[in-house]
């Protein structure tokens, strides 16, 4: 398997795209040849450093530029994988084109994550009924290596998971798969995210004066990432409640998840369940009994950190999971997927 | 009813005591004669402004001082009500003494809030077995005017509620009293508080470097305020989970509370239930449908703000309640209690 | 002198206007009759509370609304003073109209603060050459009561000072007027402001991700408030440097000001100079030797706090001044001016 | 020159020591053999990860421990360089011992930075008069590679500069050495630092409630780092004022520095002066005209960023310099020094 690959990245002006650029510029596979950085078709080429001054040092000898998208050129240059950190509407339009030209895709948006029409309804995709879109969707693999490590290496299109969804699914999947959860009692995921999750566009809610010294809940019973939880954990809408909150910090997600077990469990048993499930997963860290993850320990890392606390009776359990929404919740997970698609080590360039 | 009273305050060096001092200095009843401010017996008298530079302006003509506690002097000066913003061990020691001398007390600590021995166990009070303490406890009224408005005016000792407990009990009591809650399904209160809730002592957890840009959960299945929820809402430990978190902000609490109803409800019905319950309560604000409270709107006010969102089916409901942990969660609630004990308007000095 | 007045306020949607509304709603003169709140001509009337949920309680019995500007109605209702918290272009257009209709104005923008054409150049006013504008400008009194207390009561148009300018001018005027400053050595004012100073419009620089965990300098050698320093302190551009910085906090300004004295001074002498100058000024607080103001102590107050430190030799002095940019730097200073114009106590409604 | 070295690090529990540990664990020279991590003599050995959970991943296969200091063992194991991130009193005691045993030292404290007795007075070292201490001091090289690159490789003891001092000296040295500064007019450095600069001990000033939403000046005319400015820039105390401020952010320093030139300069000239001076310095980045550094761009990097703005007349200049106080202001600069002492590339392990 080749130790490099021809890769292009689109959407580097946003926060996730910025982190993706940074990770790839430090990735061993791109030491000799940097990825191509793409802007919208017809846009004016500009130095990457203009978008992100702190990438200055990487630019030293390489003078990297963001060039306008040109499909023919991508093919001529033999681009094998296209990473999209674009809005979901743009990803809906671009992915069919890329696949038609034989270019594989990792898409960081919500465009292709959901198989069930009713779960996609919240996005109101304009091309929902089109046969092309349905064909692409049928090929799309949900890009969470811890769950779909077998399918990703050969996937044409990998739909990189949502940041909140990653923190909840990784925390619940081991228990769900073990069949321990009492779904009649329902699951609650109370999740909190830093402001970068709201995107780079200046809005009333991303204004410093709104977010600072504040906490607010939003999207109650209706956040877009809910569909990912349902599909990946095989739950019904009645079995789980997911509530996001906006934290006054730049980055990081903490999910506090409340479950009931069908029968009492010991802490060692729960810890073993997690360790067994993630034995082959380099980007998940399990905390031992008496320890809980915090945002400060996972932020600026590519890990998802998971800890838990059992009630005395052993039937109620609170799981706390933390990750950096721009890294394991976006760019680092995309690199995991890229690594698997290229036959490299899953954690390459992420530690 | 007299429009002033002889009042003393102890513990003004802490955050809650500081706010209590500030509120009382602006309270109409104390325009002519400021309350007495007390330090520990034997301490050196010092200007109040030394403790809190921002109270400078109130001090102008009055030159207020913090004087050492002297029980005889309190009696000689005819002090009627003593407000304690002291640690709970200190309140356990002082309250019997005050009552014995005919001085009524509003105690802001956790010393006298809990009637059930098993709920008090978490405090490990040294005088747990003493007959004196039991006699005081039997007289203690839980100082939440919205629930105990009838008993507070004549109480000798009022136990001012915990900050987290206030945000949860006010949000749940109307629904609990209406009998709407499906307690078999359990209640989850995921609560978040600013750093002032952790007290003024510099510790590893109140260090800026620990709290800033971070979020952490703590006290899982074991926080001290849980007993207050159980007693005031008449719940068993199996029926509610309460999880506090440390927010990177100076002040404010937001509780996100998840309940199930025994039968489907309409939003209007839920709003009416809240409005009816709090009709006579000036310090609670109910948000209408489609609106949720945020920390930024309740901080630096004496209100508890409550909003909710119903699931489509009308059986699942999320309640969001916000307050300022130092005000409605401490000092303002103490002033409500003082007002009731003195026969004044409940909201006097709080708007 | 009447204890109320007919007052209208325009621009309450911004931060300074919001604080102005809050102050006026608590001002004794407006207990019976609230001010009129105005939006742009032709705008749809809306409840004040929609703009600022935390004003909810003030609204209770009064149901205040923001009504579209209608000059005829202002005259019919006998409005005496119009307070403008509008952008400077809008203030340039409105003030001549108001004066022509016999309505006095306090303008919080930069529209009328500067008498010298060259100092105004940075604003590039479209009506710079017009005779009407020049006539208005000739009447404008710079609304800093500590400097112009004699002229404000009878002024038709009061130009409320800039927030940065207030912090620098108040700190320097006593020393400048005493003739102590060695202007050949130059003055440096290194000033820092919270994000509310950048306005409510969501921009790249007010985005939480830009401002949080950051500090940046801007407007070097060219900030708009420089002209105010020159005119009020009678300095040339070569004699002072003023550099603003954007702090990652919601509100507050701290200016660190470096001066040389022409001859050595004692600390007592300097403190006396300040105390004498501000003897009749209720909104300035002087810190004694060994104490320096901090943003935390002036924020959410209407004061400007001033302290200083002398070098051993007594010739170099650092002055530190703090204020809340939305209060003493804007709304509270406007209320001081309104009070003086109406013949009320200067500090009415501000303590 | 060998590509590895036997290195020990003491004081990894503090913030600078933590960053030093992190940098060394990623440094190419220590891929095979990690440095030794030392605690106080007699302390109990403990896993490094206990001190810093986020170093967890580096620990995987290596199980690093913090072992108590044992001089004999250091010699037996052939330790060549000892890095001290200890308090200055401890460094004063340890360095003579290390040198006597033939172990070279990089000391991150203020213990050995100052050659002039009067500049050291502020530290009040207990061993000030001792001949041993004087002998060590005479050998100490000020560890700023950009100024002392020739002496560091052979130094026995390298005194790593203060964080504030680094930001000021690097910004001023090129202009000072060029002889452009009008020292009669004086230099002002108004510097601002994040809270990590105040150390890990919980104190009243590092409490979240003190630092958050605040800005305060401290150490006026008397901060410890002033002596470093005087010695490295060859200035007298009358020629420079340095004022530190405490910013409400975890890390980062920005210094705004005001100078006068003896004759007018062009921007290109100034930029060239900087570029020439730092031509061989990989850890300094010069910003071009019209661009200024900000804390957000230098934080979490090992760079010192420098930009400037000239007044129209070309005689007044404001220099803005930024760095991460824990990195270029401490740990990264120590690694630069270690690299030079070991004959490695200066920037090894820092990009």
């Amino acid at each position: 398997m080749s130790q490099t690959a021809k890769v292009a990245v689109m959407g580097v002006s946003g926060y996730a795209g910025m982190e993706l650029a940074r990770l790839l510029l430090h990735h061993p596979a791109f030491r000799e040849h940097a990825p191509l950085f793409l802007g919208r078709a017809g846009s004016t080429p500009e130095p990457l450093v203009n978008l992100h001054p702190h990438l200055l040092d990487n630019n030293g000898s390489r003078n990297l530029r963001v060039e306008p998208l040109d499909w023919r050129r991508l093919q001529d240059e033999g681009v094998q994988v296209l990473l999209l950190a674009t809005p979901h509407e743009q990803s809906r339009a671009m992915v069919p084109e890329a696949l038609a030209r034989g270019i594989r895709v990792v898409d960081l948006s919500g465009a292709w994550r959901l198989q069930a029409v009713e779960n996609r309804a919240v996005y109101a995709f304009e091309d929902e009924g089109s046969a092309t879109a349905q064909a692409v969707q049928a090929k799309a693999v949900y890009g969470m290596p811890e769950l779909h490590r077998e399918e990703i290496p050969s996937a044409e299109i990998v739909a990189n998971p949502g940041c909140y969804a990653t923190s909840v699914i990784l925390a619940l999947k081991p228990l769900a798969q073990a069949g321990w959860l009492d779904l009649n009692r329902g699951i609650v995921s109370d999740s909190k995210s830093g402001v970068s999750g709201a995107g780079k566009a200046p809005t009333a809610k991303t204004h410093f004066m709104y977010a600072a010294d504040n906490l607010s809940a939003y999207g109650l019973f209706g956040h877009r990432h809910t569909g990912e939880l349902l599909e990946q954990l095989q739950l019904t809408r009645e079995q789980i409640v997911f509530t996001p909150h906006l934290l006054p910090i730049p980055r990081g997600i903490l999910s506090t998840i409340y479950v009931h077990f069908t029968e009492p469990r010991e802490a060692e048993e729960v810890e073993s369940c997690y360790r067994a499930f993630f034995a082959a997963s380099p980007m998940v860290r399990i905390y031992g009994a008496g320890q809980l993850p915090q945002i400060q320990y996972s932020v600026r890392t590519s890990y998802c950190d998971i800890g838990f606390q059992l009630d005395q009776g052993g039937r109620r359990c609170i799981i706390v999971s933390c990750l950096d929404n721009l890294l394991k919740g976006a760019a680092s997970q995309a690199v995991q997927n890229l690594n698997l698609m290229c036959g490299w080590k899953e954690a390459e360039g992420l530690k």
Side-chain angles (χ1 to χ4, degrees), chain A:
Chain A
M1 196 68 57
S2 161
Q3 279 313 298
T4 187
K6 203 78 191 175
V7 164
V9 186
M10 185 146 177
V12 290
S13 64
Y15 298 129
M18 174 187 75
E19 290 292 358
L20 191 52
R22 193 179 58 78
L23 288 172
L24 294 176
L25 289 171
H26 287 86
H27 193 291
F30 304 102
R31 263 191 204 130
E32 307 259 315
H33 301 288
L36 300 179
F37 296 102
L38 307 176
R40 284 180 181 264
S43 61
T44 311
E46 68 174 325
L48 181 59
V49 69
N50 283 15
L51 295 173
H52 304 297
H54 73 278
L55 294 177
L56 190 60
D57 55 311
N58 303 107
N59 196 24
S61 54
R62 297 207 265 181
N63 294 309
L64 300 169
R65 294 163 68 85
V66 179
E67 308 275 357
L69 170 67
D70 175 344
W71 285 112
R72 179 166 309 236
R73 193 184 146 206
L74 293 191
Q75 278 185 294
D76 290 351
E77 298 205 5
V79 165
Q80 297 159 287
V81 186
L82 176 63
L83 294 143
L84 294 178
T86 42
H88 55 78
E89 301 87 347
Q90 208 176 331
S91 293
R92 289 290 284 197
M94 288 182 66
V95 173
E97 186 75 25
L99 299 193
R101 289 169 188 270
I103 301 172
R104 303 166 77 192
V105 180
V106 179
D107 176 36
L108 281 77
S109 84
W112 307 100
R113 292 175 191 154
L114 300 166
Q115 294 299 341
V117 176
E118 65 271 22
N119 289 334
R120 285 199 301 269
V122 67
Y123 284 97
F125 294 129
E126 288 189 9
D127 62 349
E128 178 59 69
S130 96
T132 311
Q134 283 170 14
V136 171
Q137 187 66 66
K139 291 178 181 173
V141 173
Y142 191 73
M144 187 173 279
E146 294 79 7
L147 273 68
H148 302 284
R149 197 169 279 120
E150 304 303 308
E151 307 151 67
I152 294 166
S154 59
E156 282 180 65
I157 159 73
V158 170
N160 214 56
C163 51
Y164 279 123
T166 302
S167 80
V168 182
I169 294 168
L170 289 175
L172 284 172
K173 190 67 183 183
L175 306 175
Q177 187 170 293
W180 293 4
L181 300 176
D182 180 353
L183 298 177
N184 294 329
R185 302 292 296 270
I187 299 167
V188 169
S189 180
D190 192 278
S191 300
K192 303 91 175 171
S193 171
V195 181
S196 57
K200 200 175 177 183
T203 65
K205 297 206 170 180
T206 60
H207 197 297
F208 185 87
M209 295 295 291
Y210 180 92
D213 290 349
N214 193 20
L215 183 75
S216 53
Y218 63 98
L220 278 67
F221 294 115
H223 191 275
R224 284 173 177 172
H225 289 185
T226 309
E228 298 177 49
L229 311 187
L230 305 187
E231 298 194 0
Q232 298 301 318
L233 297 168
Q234 287 159 282
L235 297 172
T236 67
R237 254 170 224 283
E238 286 64 43
Q239 290 170 333
I240 189 162
V241 182
F242 159 64
T243 308
H245 298 74
L246 185 65
L247 279 176
I249 63 175
R251 47 204 283 173
I253 285 178
L254 183 147
S255 289
T256 314
I257 307 173
Y258 302 83
V259 301
H260 290 84
F261 292 148
T262 49
E263 50 189 281
R265 300 284 166 187
E266 303 287 337
E268 297 70 33
E269 220 178 341
V270 178
E271 188 176 333
S272 297
C273 175
Y274 277 110
R275 293 207 184 275
F277 188 91
F278 293 116
S281 291
M283 304 322 298
V284 175
R285 296 190 293 201
I286 304 305
Y287 275 55
Q291 298 269 37
L292 289 177
Q294 300 185 8
I295 278 185
Q296 65 175 327
Y297 301 134
S298 58
V299 108
R300 294 178 200 280
T301 80
S302 295
Y303 295 102
C304 178
D305 288 339
I306 300 175
F308 67 93
Q309 176 76 43
L310 265 184
D311 186 15
Q312 277 198 327
R315 277 182 174 274
R316 290 190 299 182
C317 186
I318 302 174
I319 307 123
V320 176
S321 78
C322 289
L323 51 77
D324 186 316
N325 55 303
L326 298 179
L327 295 177
K328 180 58 178 164
S332 297
Q333 193 148 236
V335 172
Q336 279 181 277
N337 287 316
L338 177 68
N339 287 338
L340 292 173
M341 292 166 84
C342 293
W344 304 331
K345 284 189 191 162
E346 187 178 321
E348 194 74 30
L350 294 177
K351 290 201 170 182

